[in-house]
Amino acid sequence: MTKVTAQLSVSLDGCYAGPRHTGDGDWMDSAESAAFFRVTRWVTNAMSWRERQGFAGGEQDANSDIVAESFGAAGAYVMGRRMADGGEIPWGDEPPFRAPVFVVTHRPRETLVRGGGTSFTYVTDGVASAVAQARAAAGGRDVAVAGGGSLVRQVLRAGLLDELELHIVPVVLGGGLRLFDAGPGLGPDAGLGLGEKEAIELTPTRVVTTPEVTHIRYAVRGRAPLVLDDRGSGGGPTRTAE
């Protein structure tokens, strides 16, 4: 059955990139870029990722297995416009997705067809529409929300995410773009729309640890009220003095 999944590499303090780059300079020289490449270093060192990009070398290890698994599971992708625009030239004529990609945007554009089975369809009527179109195109495989972080947040807020995998890298960045640290409002950088006593519950379903990164996969259970427990006063077993 098709699942909607998302995964993101984050620092120990929850950042998936450095402070947002808003200037006119090269993004590759920005603090946003430097932090992003630090938390994704485990990916670029993986043999399976390098093979997918047409590069030689890399490590064949548990991290590489996880990258290969994620590529193999995805039948279609959903992506934010900023990520799509930033990757268009570096990905070249045969991007690594090899599947339909649906780009959430406010700016219309004709579908961009690339080699290897990748196409970019620009969806202007919202994230729910993009996910629905990706489901229809996935052929029974998963829909992978490729990012960035603000798009993952939108899909989670809309209740459309079935599975979230965080790749937690043992580094503290001290600041930057955080997956769950969002501003108010309804735009792409909005929060999760949770009430004061409401949370989104998740259940860990897999944990893989390596020296470079800890991979934790969660099933998303959905919204639930925050309820105070009985603080030990519920009549359970008590410890008696000897």
Side-chain angles (χ1 to χ4, degrees), residues 86-213:
E88 183 173 336
I89 293 175
W91 291 329
D93 292 332
E94 291 195 19
F97 306 103
R98 302 179 187 174
V101 180
F102 296 85
V103 181
V104 180
T105 181
H106 295 294
R107 293 176 283 132
R109 182 178 178 182
E110 292 295 321
T111 297
L112 181 64
V113 178
R114 294 300 199 200
T118 300
S119 61
F120 296 90
T121 299
Y122 295 82
V123 180
T124 58
D125 55 347
V127 66
S129 176
V131 170
Q133 291 182 55
R135 276 186 178 277
R141 295 159 71 192
D142 290 348
V143 171
V145 181
S150 63
L151 180 65
V152 173
R153 206 157 48 237
Q154 290 178 67
V155 176
L156 186 58
R157 176 188 176 116
L160 299 172
L161 194 64
D162 300 308
E163 184 177 280
L164 173 65
E165 188 158 13
L166 295 181
H167 309 288
I168 303 172
V169 178
V171 62
V172 176
L173 297 174
L177 298 177
R178 289 189 171 92
L179 178 57
F180 299 121
D181 185 13
L186 298 174
D189 291 319
L192 294 170
L194 295 169
E196 290 185 355
K197 293 187 177 182
E198 187 180 33
I200 295 174
E201 296 281 354
L202 305 96
T203 300
T205 60
R206 185 178 76 174
V207 179
V208 178
T209 60
T210 74
E212 300 82 15
V213 56

Side-chain angles (χ1 to χ4, degrees), residues 16-109:
Y16 59 89
R20 182 179 292 275
H21 176 61
T22 57
D24 296 328
D26 188 350
W27 182 82
M28 293 292 290
D29 293 329
S30 69
E32 179 181 347
S33 167
F36 171 78
F37 286 116
R38 172 61 188 92
V39 298
T40 58
R41 183 186 300 166
W42 70 273
V43 180
T44 56
N45 284 343
M47 181 180 291
S48 60
W49 183 88
R50 297 181 70 82
E51 287 178 348
R52 193 82 170 199
Q53 307 290 329
F55 302 149
E59 299 291 330
Q60 179 55 61
D61 54 14
N63 294 330
S64 183
D65 291 343
I66 285 176
V67 173
E69 178 188 57
S70 67
F71 278 130
Y77 293 84
V78 177
M79 184 182 296
R81 182 68 183 254
R82 189 168 185 252
M83 180 176 178
D85 286 352
E88 183 173 336
I89 293 175
W91 291 329
D93 292 332
E94 291 195 19
F97 306 103
R98 302 179 187 174
V101 180
F102 296 85
V103 181
V104 180
T105 181
H106 295 294
R107 293 176 283 132
R109 182 178 178 182

